Amino acid sequence: MRYRSQSVAYWYFAVAMVLFGLQVVFGLLSAVKYLGPDPLLYILPFDVTKVIHTNLLIVWVLTGFMGATYWLVPEESRTELHSVKLAYVQLILWTLMGVTAVIGYLFRYGTGNKLLEQPLPHKLVIVACMLIFLYNIGMTIRKAGRFTTTEGVLVLGLLSSAVLYLPALLHYENYTVSIFYRWWTIHLWVEGVWMMIMGSFLAYLLIRLSGVDREVMEKWLYVIVGLVFIAGILGTAHHYYWVGVPTYWLPIGGFFSALEPLALVGMAIYAYTAIRRAGLSHPNTLALHWTIGSAVFALFGAGLLGLAHTWPSVNRWTHGTLITAMHGHSAFYGAYAMIVLAMITYAMPSITRTRNDVSSTLGFWAFWLQVGGMFGMTLSFATAGIGQVYLERIVGLGYLDTQLKIQVHFLMLILTASIFSVGVGLFIFDFFRRAPRAEVLPETEAESVRAGGAAPPEPAGQAAR
Amino acid sequence: MSRTRLYGPLKILSYVVLLLMLTAMIYSFVMALTYWGGIGV
């Protein structure tokens, strides 16, 4: 790494990896409940395991975003972070918030508002952490006086994420009103401003990994961000179908959310073109795999599978079924999990005392098992969802009778989720077997290490710092 | 305590998480095999 303060990213990534592992645990516990009588019914019922599964996802992905930002901003602005101490204070507060929220969910301490179950004190800590984070990043850029377009899009995405969390602080007794505003946070995060964060990480990685001209890449970044805004904001209306709001939201939601895949098509073309121009010459081929994989899987999961059930005449049958789980799993994994894993893989040779094996066989196994496993999980949810829609919504069977008929698909889900889990486990093992690096490397050496070259042994005096 | 010394406990924590993942996988396989005969198709 070029700047000592970038080492703070390691600890954010470490926390993110621990939470990712726990998310998988609660995902498996949730999936297995579909198979039959549940021995854990009175200890860990489905509503508890699912809440923990989805909340851990949001927290670990955000932790990864923060770590990746603390890695990226010093490099883009060519300066040390404004305050390393503040970054650690933020991480401690954030981790305590996450851990206590999960413990609280075990005892049903939460608001019950789907995906925003955090109790008010936890929400206030989230706001405090976001303010600390934005202040630290803002002051770093101000101090440097250097502000790239990639950074600009990233900061705008992060700032908007913080602002859009504010509706989550409000409580509404009316369920329709509550749903209406919930999506201002969740939808505008994942199909709006988080796409800007993903786009900026993608641009950063493509510039570094492909060596393609920054000006060209950043110009296209503007186009992608523009497409996200045009389609994503009014696309929120696809969450408003049949929730008690006026019917004019149906055509608005249908039209604008059908446009949403355009930005994802743009991102996939963007990534493909960059690599086609530069070739696969960068030695950190594993980071390249995660970067291109993220663009392609996001197009598949978020773009195509979202489009598959976003039109009102289709969604009237699929609304709230396992078809949503199909889209949700593949979209979140492709767009957000994979881009965080790409940033970690890219930064790993610099922030750890790695050996000459950055693109290790273990790393490739982790990549392919995760991608293959998630693809299989998506198909399992899809087949179960199609069966569910037919039996429940068309034939008119009851919910539980339908679940009995589609149980076989959950065997497939358990099998493919296990393949995915082994991939996640290998990634976590690969990450933690490397100790963090404390010292700054000279420019040329930093480039060589990031590219996968051998790292020099750490001097004894610096290792303890 | 320096931050790099936190690496040891964190590495142990990561092994605990890996163990939990393995336990959840074994549990889900056991449940899948237990209920395989009871599928109502």
Side-chain angles (χ1 to χ4, degrees):
Chain A
M1 64 200 157
R2 286 178 199 173
Y3 303 96
R4 178 178 293 280
S5 54
Q6 279 180 297
S7 64
V8 77
Y10 176 89
W11 302 100
Y12 277 83
F13 292 153
V15 171
M17 286 302 96
V18 168
L19 298 179
F20 187 16
L22 289 176
Q23 190 216 345
V24 169
V25 171
F26 282 93
L28 281 167
L29 289 180
S30 303
V32 84
K33 289 174 193 296
Y34 284 92
L35 284 175
D38 178 16
L40 299 178
L41 183 64
Y42 297 106
I43 307 165
L44 285 170
F46 183 78
D47 60 314
V48 171
T49 53
K50 193 214 168 195
V51 165
I52 296 175
H53 178 62
T54 51
N55 275 255
L56 279 173
L57 165 70
I58 294 172
V59 176
W60 90 254
V61 165
L62 279 171
T63 315
F65 282 173
M66 289 169 181
T69 305
Y70 280 135
W71 165 266
L72 183 149
V73 167
E75 234 180 63
E76 289 286 286
S77 280
R78 296 180 189 165
T79 186
E80 293 287 357
L81 276 180
H82 171 66
S83 170
V84 174
K85 203 174 275 181
L86 261 185
Y88 283 118
V89 169
Q90 179 204 331
L91 179 62
I92 291 166
L93 270 177
W94 181 257
T95 309
L96 282 176
M97 180 279 300
V99 171
T100 53
V102 167
I103 294 170
Y105 297 146
L106 291 173
F107 299 98
R108 288 206 166 79
Y109 177 56
T111 62
N113 196 8
K114 200 170 73 177
L115 300 167
L116 294 171
E117 289 93 348
Q118 311 86 46
L120 188 63
H122 290 76
K123 283 180 172 156
L124 295 176
V125 174
I126 292 172
V127 172
C129 286
M130 289 307 282
L131 289 174
I132 294 172
F133 178 56
L134 291 168
Y135 170 78
N136 210 357
I137 293 301
M139 289 303 287
T140 305
I141 293 169
R142 191 171 165 225
K143 185 176 76 180
R146 187 174 189 274
F147 193 42
T148 64
T149 302
T150 305
E151 252 181 329
V153 173
L154 175 63
V155 172
L156 187 60
L158 293 167
L159 188 67
S160 310
S161 299
V163 172
L164 287 167
Y165 190 69
L166 297 180
L169 297 175
L170 305 172
H171 176 76
Y172 302 98
E173 288 300 323
N174 184 302
Y175 191 57
T176 297
V177 177
S178 182
I179 290 176
F180 190 87
Y181 290 114
R182 180 176 74 209
W183 295 114
W184 282 26
T185 299
I186 298 298
H187 171 91
L188 291 176
W189 265 7
V190 300
E191 291 172 63
V193 296
W194 281 22
M195 294 305 285
M196 293 165 70
I197 298 171
M198 187 228 174
S200 56
F201 287 150
L202 190 64
Y204 169 82
L205 287 166
L206 289 175
I207 290 166
R208 301 292 165 142
L209 292 168
S210 72
V212 170
D213 186 38
R214 175 184 281 271
E215 224 171 280
V216 176
M217 297 308 284
E218 291 188 334
K219 188 176 70 189
W220 282 103
L221 187 58
Y222 278 125
V223 176
I224 287 167
V225 169
L227 286 172
V228 166
F229 271 104
I230 289 167
I233 293 174
L234 281 172
T236 312
H238 66 221
H239 296 286
Y240 292 168
Y241 301 160
W242 308 290
V243 296
V245 298
T247 50
Y248 57 73
W249 286 112
L250 292 174
I252 295 174
F255 179 74
F256 284 97
S257 60
L259 292 178
E260 280 186 50
L262 282 181
L264 294 151
V265 171
M267 279 195 200
I269 294 174
Y270 182 64
Y272 173 72
T273 311
I275 299 305
R276 191 163 162 259
R277 278 189 193 177
L280 294 165
S281 55
H282 198 282
N284 195 342
T285 42
L286 192 55
L288 263 171
H289 273 65
W290 282 112
T291 307
I292 306 300
S294 174
V296 173
F297 216 99
L299 172 61
F300 165 68
L304 298 180
L305 296 183
L307 183 67
H309 69 129
T310 201
W311 200 255
S313 54
V314 176
N315 197 267
R316 66 179 289 218
W317 301 105
T318 62
H319 197 97
T321 63
L322 289 160
I323 295 292
T324 310
M326 162 201 80
H327 166 54
H329 278 78
S330 52
F332 244 102
Y333 180 69
Y336 303 122
M338 287 184 85
I339 201 72
V340 170
L341 300 180
M343 285 297 289
I344 294 174
T345 308
Y346 176 71
M348 204 129 81
S350 297
I351 54 172
T352 58
R353 273 179 268 158
T354 188
R355 290 177 292 279
N356 187 18
D357 58 354
V358 60
S359 295
S360 62
T361 310
L362 200 65
F364 284 107
W365 272 103
F367 174 82
W368 286 111
L369 287 174
Q370 282 188 50
V371 170
M374 181 52 75
F375 188 71
M377 285 167 67
T378 305
L379 292 186
S380 307
F381 278 123
T383 47
I386 292 166
Q388 186 188 13
V389 168
Y390 180 74
L391 293 171
E392 200 180 312
R393 305 267 162 101
I394 297 174
V395 175
L397 278 186
Y399 176 81
L400 288 175
D401 286 335
T402 303
Q403 290 302 315
L404 278 176
K405 298 289 181 197
I406 60 173
Q407 264 182 345
V408 69
H409 300 294
F410 286 90
L411 286 172
M412 171 84 166
L413 179 69
I414 294 294
L415 186 68
T416 49
S418 298
I419 294 171
F420 178 76
S421 304
V422 173
V424 174
L426 289 179
F427 193 98
I428 294 173
F429 176 76
D430 198 29
F431 180 87
F432 283 103
R433 75 190 170 115
R434 304 155 199 264
R437 183 197 295 279
E439 89 282 16
V440 178
L441 292 173
E443 184 66 20
T444 48
E445 214 170 293
E447 282 301 326
S448 150
V449 166
R450 207 177 359 249
E458 188 158 2
Q462 287 177 333
R465 192 152 38 215
Chain B
M1 190 164 67
S2 77
R3 281 186 291 273
T4 44
R5 280 191 202 156
L6 281 174
Y7 170 64
L10 202 58
K11 196 172 179 179
I12 293 168
L13 179 65
S14 77
Y15 290 151
V16 173
V17 170
L18 289 175
L19 197 64
L20 281 172
M21 288 170 72
L22 187 67
T23 311
M25 274 168 60
I26 293 169
Y27 171 73
S28 56
F29 275 124
V30 169
M31 288 295 111
L33 291 172
T34 304
Y35 298 130
W36 174 246
I39 292 168
V41 285

